[in-house]
Amino acid sequence: AALRYAEAALGAAPGDARGHEWLGDLYRARRELGQARHHYERAVELDPLRFGVALRLAELQFHAGDASAAREQLQRVLRASVDPEQLLAAGRWALHAANDDAARTELERVLLARASAEPQRPELRRVLIELYETIVPRLRARVDAGDAAAPRALAALVTRAQKPLLDALRDVDAAEVQSALGLLILLRPPSAAAPLLALAEAEGDVTVRRSALAASCTLPPGRDELSVRQSALANAREVRLRDMAAFCAARAPRRSA
């Protein structure tokens, strides 16, 4: 009955995006996925801001084997939605649909552009970090294996990734901070030493602070002041910080007299 009513209503107003969305939902519930996809496609054509419909459409497209079309819908959501749940859902689906290097590169470009322009949207940065957790270890392995093109690609990635990773150090989500720290250790951007030390010095989660200090030890301090700050943490209240500071001091290069 609901399906007949929805079809009759849409027949009277074929340009109604909400009517196409409703029919798409009804067909989807009946597992008539071709019909559902058709009505979802029409709904987003009529109203491109129906990002919830775009997410449902992308799911159907992906399961039908059309990953390229799914990525297009998901990127529309990532570029323009202001709903945090929609952005996170689109990002996670886009990660799943990015099944080759070209797709991952395009997804990074979309995420990086908006995350840089709107740093107040942590969900975009969160997805970007998850993408880097896929990209960075693979690229680092290529460098270690002697791939001649890999060092230049890694240097370019360091330039692109360091800002969102450093922004993530200010996040309240300790898991995201730890992920960013792990990536900074792999990427080793020299400019990260000072913010990493600032995180190690600040009051807060000792595990995070210890990881930040460990990450800072993998980088050249660059300035004597930063070496002094690293050494000062050997007097911290927390044993785990003192031990890490001692380890950093032991592995630091000796200065000539």
Side-chain angles (χ1 to χ4, degrees), residues 121-226:
R121 299 197 183 281
E123 55 280 351
L124 290 169
R125 188 172 60 245
R126 191 168 302 135
V127 176
L128 185 59
I129 287 173
E130 290 179 25
L131 177 62
Y132 285 144
E133 286 180 315
T134 298
I135 294 173
V136 173
R138 294 179 181 182
L139 190 50
R140 174 59 69 182
R142 285 174 51 198
V143 171
D144 294 343
D147 183 331
R152 179 176 294 182
L154 183 63
L157 182 59
V158 169
T159 300
R160 298 194 306 270
Q162 60 182 335
K163 184 182 186 304
L165 292 177
L166 292 174
D167 286 345
L169 298 183
R170 297 191 292 270
D171 202 280
V172 296
D173 185 335
E176 183 175 336
V177 174
Q178 289 283 21
S179 294
L181 289 170
L183 289 166
L184 287 167
I185 288 173
L186 288 173
L187 291 172
R188 306 187 193 114
S191 62
L196 286 169
L197 271 173
L199 179 58
E201 293 165 337
E203 292 296 323
D205 187 310
V206 175
T207 299
V208 169
R209 294 175 63 197
R210 184 180 185 278
S211 297
L213 179 56
S216 77
C217 293
T218 68
L219 304 171
R223 304 196 303 271
D224 289 345
E225 170 217 341
L226 297 181

Side-chain angles (χ1 to χ4, degrees), residues 63-77:
H63 286 307
D66 195 348
S68 177
R71 287 194 296 267
E72 183 178 338
Q73 292 298 328
L74 294 167
Q75 288 175 14
R76 285 199 321 101
V77 179

Side-chain angles (χ1 to χ4, degrees), residues 98-108 131 134-135 138:
N99 49 12
D100 57 36
D101 287 343
R104 285 186 283 270
T105 297
E106 176 63 13
L107 177 57
E108 182 200 6
L131 177 62
T134 298
I135 294 173
R138 294 179 181 182

Side-chain angles (χ1 to χ4, degrees), residues 18-48:
R18 180 67 188 90
H20 283 285
E21 178 182 356
W22 185 18
L23 261 178
D25 288 342
L26 290 171
Y27 278 119
R28 185 182 183 207
R30 291 162 60 97
R31 305 301 298 167
E32 295 182 43
L33 302 183
Q35 285 279 37
R37 179 173 170 174
H38 165 74
H39 286 288
Y40 286 155
E41 286 172 346
R42 190 75 182 108
V44 296
E45 285 171 6
L46 291 165
D47 182 359

Side-chain angles (χ1 to χ4, degrees), residues 200 209 213 231-243 245:
R209 294 175 63 197
L213 179 56
S231 300
L233 286 166
N235 299 314
R237 292 192 312 272
E238 298 85 354
V239 173
R240 293 163 68 195
L241 287 176
R242 295 200 301 268
D243 288 349

